[in-house]
């Protein structure tokens, strides 16, 4: 998978500003090596850690993204699944529900009103605009 437009530049800027950046993915175990290779290729030296929650493969030993973020003291999550943003919001963590150019049908539900600490965003540029006011740790 290739990075979405603006992601590499935004991640680079956040890292240069001194943010601790972590990849937290629910990808299954069989995708771990390929995922690590992609991250190293597209984001060399940008992330402080890469964690696999095991949620997608329903790993009985895994924790939810919300629990992992809470345990790590994460301040922000960027994810394209409402399920994960909602989970982190239950732990008081601000989440950006990523909806590239409004085209991610899987993260929309008719009539759904997002909790106050979940913000739908359509680009990395929009995330960066919102984060200019803040300086938290991001995932």
């Amino acid at each position: 998978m290739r990075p979405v437009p603006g992601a590499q530049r935004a991640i680079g800027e956040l890292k240069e500003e001194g943010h601790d950046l972590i990849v937290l993915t629910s990808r299954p175990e069989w995708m771990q090596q390929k995922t690590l290779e992609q991250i190293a290729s597209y984001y060399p030296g940008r992330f402080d850690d890469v964690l696999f929650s095991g949620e997608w493969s329903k790993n009985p030993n895994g924790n939810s993204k919300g629990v992992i973020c809470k345990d790590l003291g994460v301040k922000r999550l960027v994810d394209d699944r409402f399920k994960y943003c909602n989970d982190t919001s239950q732990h008081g963590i601000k989440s950006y529900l990523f909806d590239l150019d409004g085209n991610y049908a899987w993260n929309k539900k008719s009539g759904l009103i997002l909790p106050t600490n979940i913000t739908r965003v359509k680009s990395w540029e929009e995330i960066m605009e919102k984060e200019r006011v803040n300086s938290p740790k991001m995932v």
Side-chain angles (χ1 to χ4, degrees):
M1 295 176 60
R2 297 182 155 255
V4 297
Q8 288 172 299
R9 183 178 58 79
I11 296 299
E13 287 179 22
L14 290 166
K15 189 64 178 174
E16 288 172 14
E17 291 172 6
H19 294 276
D20 294 327
L21 302 174
I22 300 166
V23 173
L24 175 56
T25 182
S26 60
R27 288 183 179 181
E29 190 173 310
W30 64 268
M31 292 182 70
Q32 286 185 6
Q33 186 58 40
K34 183 64 173 172
T35 300
L36 293 170
E37 290 169 6
Q38 290 173 327
I39 292 167
S41 173
Y42 292 119
Y43 303 97
R46 298 294 189 196
F47 291 102
D48 298 286
D49 206 352
V50 178
L51 304 172
F52 293 83
S53 70
E55 287 181 274
W56 187 259
S57 58
K58 300 187 185 332
N59 178 350
N61 298 319
N63 284 318
S64 73
K65 285 188 178 185
V67 169
I68 293 169
C69 287
K70 179 183 169 207
D71 289 349
L72 292 174
V74 169
K75 304 293 184 224
R76 299 284 190 272
L77 173 79
V78 177
D79 206 295
D80 66 355
R81 295 217 34 217
F82 172 75
K83 169 186 173 180
Y84 299 135
C85 289
N86 193 48
D87 181 36
T88 57
S89 77
Q90 301 299 314
H91 295 279
I93 298 165
K94 171 81 176 151
S95 298
Y96 291 113
L97 181 57
F98 194 82
D99 182 11
L100 182 62
D101 297 328
N103 293 320
Y104 288 1
W106 64 87
N107 73 19
K108 296 180 185 81
K109 292 184 182 177
S110 181
L112 175 68
I113 298 173
L114 296 175
T116 57
N117 56 348
I118 299 176
T119 303
R120 183 180 301 278
V121 292
K122 296 180 180 177
S123 68
W124 271 97
E125 289 77 16
E126 188 176 352
I127 293 170
M128 295 303 287
E129 286 174 17
K130 293 180 182 310
E131 283 302 308
R132 292 290 172 232
V133 185
N134 304 300
S135 59
K137 183 178 186 179
M138 291 186 60
V139 172

